[in-house]
């Protein structure tokens, strides 16, 4: 395929087209030489560029290149925007095929001794903590002596189950986030709250039950003495719920290490990213093409001016010959 420069040179140096252009100009001059000098010069100055442009349409190469470049840029911009919108709607990762997501039992067959001990320890402690929270809430409800709970203890049992549901809900709270950083931050917050709650429970417990340290100062933290028991009950139940959630999160994190990949890369997303990079390149103006068009236009303008001047010179010769014949 010829470059624009090669095509331009071929047009400029094409002897056939140049000879045809000269013949047309000679025929026009043959008619114009009969007119008065000034009128003939005006007509030749106007006709010569028109004839030149009809034979060499690349004269407007720069303007045409600019118009075409604008059209191409609009098309490229529209394609880039379409790809960008499609990329936003296309997930980067997809769910793994069913055959890749069924191996937890098989994975646990290779569990290490350390993880096996941790699963048993943390799972047992989490279950014990939830049962303790359930028992604590149930005991407090039955201890109120309200007839509704005395006559029908099942109501108190169902209400006490809320502590188990609360622990499960808090444990699953990190799964509400999509990014791993957000999930990790949520787990840290839950763990931090659990630590503070455990510290508050130990402080309140020590203040309420001095035991062998009854000679130490009372740590009531400026709470009213008749309300300290209420605060202790609240903090104890809250701590039991939070401890259960934290321990079950640890159990889940161990189990996740033996799960096969649940996600896979979306090849369509990768292809769209590559297409977007290509589209961005296409949206960048091609300065090289513009420079070539400008150079072609400059050369052709010079050729047209030379052709016009040559036509005027030939007109002067033709008029002189015509006047000599008709003296």
């Amino acid at each position: 395929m010829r470059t624009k420069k090669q095509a331009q040179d071929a047009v400029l140096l094409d002897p056939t087209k140049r000879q045809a252009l000269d013949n047309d100009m000679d025929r026009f001059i043959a008619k114009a030489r009969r007119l008065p000098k000034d009128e003939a010069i005006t007509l030749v100055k106007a006709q010569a560029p028109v004839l030149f442009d009809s034979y060499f349409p690349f004269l407007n190469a720069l303007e045409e290149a600019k118009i075409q470049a604008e059209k191409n840029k609009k098309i490229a911009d529209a394609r880039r925007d379409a790809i960008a919108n499609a990329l936003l709607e296309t997930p980067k990762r997809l769910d793994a095929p069913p055959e890749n997501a069924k191996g937890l039992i098989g994975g646990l067959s290779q569990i290490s001794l350390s993880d096996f001990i941790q699963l048993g320890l943390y799972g047992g402690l989490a279950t014990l903590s939830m049962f303790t929270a359930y028992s604590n809430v149930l005991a407090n409800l039955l201890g109120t002596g309200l007839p509704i709970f005395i006559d029908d203890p099942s109501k108190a049992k169902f209400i006490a189950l809320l502590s188990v549901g609360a622990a499960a809900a808090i444990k699953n709270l990190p799964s509400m986030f999509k990014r791993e950083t957000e999930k990790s931050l949520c787990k840290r917050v839950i763990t931090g709250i659990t630590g503070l709650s455990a510290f508050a429970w130990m402080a309140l417990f020590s203040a309420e039950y001095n035991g062998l340290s009854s000679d130490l100062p009372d740590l009531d933290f400026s709470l009213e003495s008749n309300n300290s028991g209420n605060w202790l009950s609240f903090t104890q139940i809250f701590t039991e719920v939070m401890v259960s959630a934290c321990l079950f999160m640890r159990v889940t994190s161990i189990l996740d290490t033996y799960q096969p990949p649940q996600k896979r890369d979306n090849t369509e997303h990768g292809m769209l990213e590559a297409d977007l990079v290509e589209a961005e390149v296409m949206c960048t103006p091609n300065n090289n093409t513009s420079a070539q068009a400008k150079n072609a236009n400059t050369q052709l303008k010079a050729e047209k001016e030379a052709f016009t001047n040559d036509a005027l010179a030939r007109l002067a010769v033709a008029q002189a010959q015509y006047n000599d014949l008709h003296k």
Side-chain angles (χ1 to χ4, degrees):
M1 181 177 180
R2 295 187 305 174
T3 63
K4 176 169 286 216
K5 182 67 169 58
Q6 292 171 334
Q8 167 206 327
D9 289 342
V11 171
L12 290 176
L13 301 177
D14 185 356
T16 303
K17 295 186 68 174
R18 187 56 187 263
Q19 184 61 46
L21 174 62
D22 289 337
N23 293 338
D24 283 349
M25 195 72 247
D26 287 339
R27 283 191 289 270
F28 185 82
I29 291 174
K31 296 177 181 179
R33 66 179 182 170
R34 305 173 184 179
L35 300 175
K37 181 178 180 180
D38 293 340
E39 185 178 351
I41 291 175
T42 302
L43 287 175
V44 169
K45 280 185 177 180
Q47 184 64 19
V50 174
L51 281 175
F52 189 92
D53 289 344
S54 66
Y55 278 91
F56 301 102
F58 284 100
L59 177 65
N60 298 318
L62 180 60
E63 289 75 10
E64 292 177 359
K66 287 182 178 179
I67 294 174
Q68 188 61 39
E70 291 177 356
K71 292 181 179 178
N72 292 340
K73 190 174 187 307
K74 289 181 179 179
I75 295 174
D77 288 342
R79 180 172 178 267
R80 178 196 58 190
D81 294 341
I83 295 174
N85 292 333
L87 189 61
L88 291 175
E89 298 175 357
T90 304
K92 190 172 184 178
R93 294 177 63 81
L94 298 174
D95 293 334
E99 61 269 16
N100 294 336
K102 61 181 181 181
L104 177 59
I105 302 301
L108 288 178
S109 64
Q110 302 176 355
I111 188 171
S112 65
L113 178 61
S114 174
D115 287 342
F116 180 78
I117 295 174
Q118 289 186 69
L119 280 176
L121 178 61
Y122 294 142
L125 289 176
T127 303
L128 179 61
S129 180
M130 281 202 305
F131 180 76
T132 303
Y134 169 81
S135 301
N136 194 2
V137 174
L138 180 60
N140 277 276
L141 291 175
L142 295 177
T144 59
L146 294 175
I148 188 173
F149 298 134
I150 300 299
D151 296 340
D152 189 1
S154 61
K155 290 185 173 61
K157 294 179 181 179
F158 282 118
I159 295 176
L161 285 174
L162 286 175
S163 61
V164 178
I170 295 172
K171 179 263 176 188
N172 287 290
L173 187 60
S175 62
M176 296 178 61
F177 300 95
K178 293 184 178 180
R179 298 179 181 177
E180 292 299 326
T181 54
E182 295 173 345
K183 293 181 180 180
S184 177
L185 179 60
C186 182
K187 292 178 181 179
R188 292 180 182 180
V189 170
I190 292 175
T191 304
I193 293 175
T194 303
L196 292 175
S197 176
F199 176 80
W201 172 76
M202 288 186 289
L204 288 172
F205 187 86
S206 299
E208 186 73 16
Y209 306 105
N210 291 326
L212 298 177
S213 303
S214 58
D215 55 336
L216 295 177
D218 188 15
L219 302 175
D220 58 3
F221 293 95
S222 301
L223 295 172
E224 296 294 336
S225 59
N226 58 344
N227 290 329
S228 60
N230 295 337
W231 280 103
L232 176 61
S233 297
F234 167 77
T235 307
Q236 182 170 328
I237 296 172
F238 182 76
T239 302
E240 290 164 350
V241 170
M242 295 300 295
V243 167
S244 301
C246 283
L247 291 174
F248 273 121
M249 280 196 304
R250 177 55 184 162
V251 170
T252 302
S253 65
I254 295 175
L255 292 176
D256 287 343
T257 60
Y258 294 93
Q259 282 274 21
Q262 300 295 311
K263 295 287 185 178
R264 60 181 175 87
D265 292 336
N266 188 357
T267 55
E268 183 181 355
H269 189 278
M271 294 173 61
L272 286 173
E273 285 184 330
D275 290 343
L276 183 60
V277 173
E278 180 183 352
E280 291 287 354
V281 173
M282 296 298 294
C283 290
T284 304
N286 190 342
N287 296 324
N288 186 36
T289 301
S290 179
Q292 290 178 354
K294 186 175 182 180
N295 183 51
N297 189 68
T298 301
Q299 293 187 32
L300 286 168
K301 279 185 177 180
E303 288 285 341
K304 181 168 70 171
E305 291 178 1
F307 174 75
T308 302
N309 293 332
D310 181 66
L312 291 173
R314 282 185 284 168
L315 173 64
V317 173
Q319 281 190 323
Q321 293 175 348
Y322 181 79
N323 291 334
D324 288 343
L325 291 175
H326 294 82
K327 282 184 178 180

